[in-house]
Amino acid sequence: QVQLVESGGGLMQPGGSLRLSCAASGFTFSGYWMSWVRQAPGKGLEWVAGIINDGSITYYSDSVKGRFTIARDNAKNTLYLQMNSLKSEDTAVYYCAKVGSSWQMSSYDYWGQGTQVTVSS
């Protein structure tokens, strides 16, 4: 069965960096677009970044553009999110998701369990 398992979250001071990983299994990882989505406390889901199947094209929300980098290693079936210059407003649970028919989150057919990122001094 499809599994997406995130790791790498934690507590970081503002201005710091973290790298999230998402280990995928149960499907042909290299054949699918993937995304990172986050949910801040008391707020709805927010799309963060997306990457096409071969990694050659990436997309970012305005809130993270220039600070976050999405990448993938298809040989390792792993998705990454490098987060630099972290801000308190980046505090959220971060999910990786397998993209379905479009970049709209309603089409995402599998989600990980999430990893908590807390940015605080």
Side-chain angles (χ1 to χ4, degrees):
Q1 71 278 22
V2 173
Q3 282 195 313
L4 298 170
V5 181
E6 301 95 336
S7 61
L11 174 63
M12 180 55 62
Q13 292 185 340
S17 297
L18 279 174
R19 188 177 81 156
L20 306 183
S21 298
C22 171
S25 61
F27 66 105
T28 305
F29 180 71
S30 61
Y32 292 90
W33 299 358
M34 298 292 295
S35 279
W36 286 99
V37 177
R38 68 186 181 186
Q39 186 168 29
K43 297 189 176 181
L45 294 171
E46 177 191 11
W47 179 84
V48 173
I51 187 167
I52 70 168
N53 56 315
D54 68 359
S56 63
I57 299 176
T58 57
Y59 302 95
Y60 300 93
S61 67
D62 287 344
S63 60
V64 307
K65 195 174 297 181
R67 300 187 300 120
F68 290 10
T69 301
I70 187 172
R72 65 194 296 162
D73 185 335
N74 286 343
K76 295 182 178 180
N77 289 345
T78 303
L79 179 72
Y80 302 101
L81 185 68
Q82 177 68 42
M83 305 186 295
N84 298 330
S85 303
L86 284 163
K87 305 175 181 180
S88 58
E89 51 263 45
D90 294 320
T91 295
V93 177
Y94 283 73
Y95 301 92
C96 68
K98 176 177 171 286
V99 175
S101 57
S102 76
W103 288 115
Q104 291 188 9
M105 290 188 289
S106 58
S107 85
Y108 296 1
D109 49 9
Y110 291 95
W111 296 70
Q113 84 288 349
T115 186
Q116 176 71 48
V117 171
T118 302
V119 183
S120 175
S121 54

